[in-house]
Amino acid sequence: MNTLRHPVSLGLCLCLLTGTGALLVSSDAEAGPHARGGARTSVNHAGGGARAANVNRGATANRSANVNRNTNVNRNTNVNRNTNINRDVNIHNDIDVDVDNRWHDGWYDHPVAAAAAVTTAAAVTAAAIGSIVYSVPPSCVTTVVNGMAYQQCGSTWYEPQYAGTTVQYVVVNPPN
Amino acid sequence: MRHAICLALGLLLPATSAAQSDAPPSAAAASAAAAVQPEAVAALERMGTYLRSLKNFTVHGDTTIDLVMDDGQKLEFPGTVDYKVRAPNGLQLDIRSDRKERQLFYDGKTLTVYGPKNKLYASTDAPPTIGALLDAASDKYGIELPLADLFLWGTDKAPTASLQSAVFVGPARIGNSPTEHYAFRQEGVDWQVWIEPGAKPLPRRLVITTTDDPAQPQYASTLTWNTNAALKDSAFTFTPPKDASRIRLVEVDAVAVGGATP
């Protein structure tokens, strides 16, 4: 009985793994719907300094920072329908539910987050120092150097950072 | 006969003003000055004054947020927001959705962002008051606190002069509580608030419609308050769990911000 069960389990495992791989590939190809923006979560904006009276501009400024991060990844194929929006997010990343994926610009994560394009970027053997991705492959190893956490993926090292409340990973030289 | 005419006029006037408030933004802008009801502004100010009088409170929000896809389709995501607040310099924010959890701790000296699932935290020096913290979080780090209005109403950061429209909609109930429903319009947002009448004019529900996106996504929250909460100092100071790792909190790119701002 046992000898029978083992091959079955193994077969099942392989199926699941294959299925997972296929899902990743298809998500790369499809890209899925892209979120172009979300609802504001407050009427008034705290920040903005001199722009305080002009409530919308403050938000625009902050979101623009996201634009910059996207540019680094070179995956801004979305049309900017509003001047303040350039969020590049892909769907089909159910695998990474509990991982912190990229999401629009606030506290609210959602299924339309980047996994596919980002994963591809991380797989490139010689990632450029300073380039930014929003997730790293699961094979990466967390290494703490001088009290700070890094992700080591083969010969490539990533430094995770909070950009707003989103975790981004910057390719860095191996830390000492 | 005269009475009948007066009555008819009396009925006509409210109907006209109601029609104005439903008008599209361009038309509303033209008649903006006429649409600001003093009683609605006064209710907003009473709420703001009361909120600023609270010293120790917690508020729980059941929230939904719309995201707009490139083709204009809106998707809605539910979540919760929990604030623990000690004025003027203690704040803890817990935010949860089915996809993400984040905590924010502020004790008057240090701001920490923590992900309970990813076990990553980042701490930085912070200004001495919640008001200044909101500025710094937004301007320096690109962190917009949800429902930031709870800390801005009753201050010059939420000037009633920026109201383009202010209307009392009518009495309503949120849960079992009687409330009064108001509708406001500001640049970029139409918003509604349900305020408890009486000595504790708390906002019980807030709906914010983003009007500078043609899809008009909404953020809605129903709020549950404890205005006399027993809060410990430890609520505001982050103590990293053993398995948590420290990372950096990056500042938003000032050059990019300046360059992209019209």
Side-chain angles (χ1 to χ4, degrees), chain A:
Chain A
M1 210 47 188
N2 279 342
T3 49
L4 184 64
R5 267 186 191 168
H6 276 291
V8 171
S9 307
L10 185 61
L12 198 65
C13 283
L14 285 172
C15 278
L16 283 171
L17 284 171
T18 311
T20 306
L23 186 61
L24 277 173
V25 169
S26 73
S27 66
D28 265 332
E30 290 174 14
H34 291 239
R36 73 173 188 222
R40 277 171 54 170
T41 59
S42 60
V43 174
N44 301 283
H45 286 288
R51 299 189 304 267
N54 205 341
V55 289
N56 292 314
R57 297 274 159 72
T60 304
N62 287 327
R63 287 174 193 163
S64 297
N66 291 340
V67 172
N68 209 33
R69 293 204 294 275
N70 280 343
T71 306
N72 291 336
V73 198
N74 287 326
R75 53 193 177 87
N76 280 323
T77 52
N78 290 347
V79 175
N80 289 325
R81 304 180 61 162
N82 294 322
T83 54
N84 60 341
I85 292 185
N86 192 355
R87 299 183 198 94
D88 203 14
V89 282
N90 300 316
I91 204 165
H92 297 308
N93 67 327
D94 308 64
I95 303 156
D96 296 327
V97 163
D98 290 326
V99 182
D100 293 297
N101 295 303
R102 178 127 172 78
W103 89 119
H104 67 297
D105 69 334
W107 299 83
Y108 296 87
D109 215 349
H110 57 77
V112 281
V118 157
T119 308
T120 310
V124 173
T125 45
I129 301 296
S131 56
I132 295 174
V133 295
Y134 294 96
S135 68
V136 294
S139 58
C140 298
V141 178
T142 303
T143 307
V144 176
V145 181
N146 296 327
M148 303 295 275
Y150 293 85
Q151 289 287 320
Q152 185 183 5
C153 315
S155 59
T156 304
W157 288 72
Y158 293 90
E159 180 193 338
Q161 306 172 335
Y162 274 117
T165 58
T166 302
V167 177
Q168 63 181 23
Y169 297 85
V170 184
V171 178
V172 294
N173 288 311
N176 296 316

Side-chain angles (χ1 to χ4, degrees), chain A residues 34 36-37 39-44 46 48 56 62 68 81 100 103 107-111 159 161-162 165, chain B residues 66-70 77 100 102 115 118 120 135 138-139 144 146-147 149 187 210 213 219 248 250 253 257:
Chain A
H34 291 239
R36 73 173 188 222
R40 277 171 54 170
T41 59
S42 60
V43 174
N44 301 283
N56 292 314
N62 287 327
N68 209 33
R81 304 180 61 162
D100 293 297
W103 89 119
W107 299 83
Y108 296 87
D109 215 349
H110 57 77
E159 180 193 338
Q161 306 172 335
Y162 274 117
T165 58
Chain B
D66 289 341
L67 295 180
V68 184
M69 302 299 107
D70 266 345
F77 299 89
K100 182 161 180 162
R102 283 292 184 274
N118 65 24
L120 297 173
D135 283 355
S138 168
D139 288 350
E144 299 276 352
L147 301 171
D149 303 301
E187 185 185 342
T210 302
D213 183 321
Y219 178 75
R248 285 201 303 140
V250 295
D253 189 331
V257 168

Side-chain angles (χ1 to χ4, degrees), chain B residues 62-102:
Chain B
D62 290 300
T63 64
T64 60
I65 187 167
D66 289 341
L67 295 180
V68 184
M69 302 299 107
D70 266 345
D71 62 2
Q73 183 176 10
K74 278 185 288 192
L75 304 182
E76 183 185 273
F77 299 89
T80 60
V81 174
D82 281 278
Y83 275 107
K84 294 186 176 81
V85 179
R86 176 187 292 167
N89 60 4
L91 182 148
Q92 185 192 322
L93 167 62
D94 282 52
I95 195 142
R96 291 188 186 83
S97 72
D98 53 348
R99 298 283 163 167
K100 182 161 180 162
E101 291 185 22
R102 283 292 184 274

Side-chain angles (χ1 to χ4, degrees), chain B residues 160-237:
Chain B
T160 53
S162 57
L163 295 172
Q164 296 166 346
S165 158
V167 178
F168 175 54
V169 179
R173 272 179 190 277
I174 299 297
N176 288 322
S177 306
T179 61
E180 294 181 329
H181 181 188
Y182 294 89
F184 300 92
R185 173 164 277 176
Q186 290 179 219
E187 185 185 342
V189 282
D190 286 355
W191 57 285
Q192 304 164 69
V193 63
W194 285 254
I195 304 176
E196 276 191 27
K200 286 188 163 190
L202 287 167
R204 291 296 309 277
R205 180 168 166 79
L206 181 66
V207 174
I208 302 168
T209 307
T210 302
T211 53
D212 48 17
D213 183 321
Q216 304 219 340
Q218 286 191 325
Y219 178 75
S221 56
T222 302
L223 303 175
T224 308
W225 291 84
N226 178 353
T227 56
N228 193 17
L231 298 171
K232 296 177 178 172
D233 289 348
S234 57
F236 310 117
T237 303

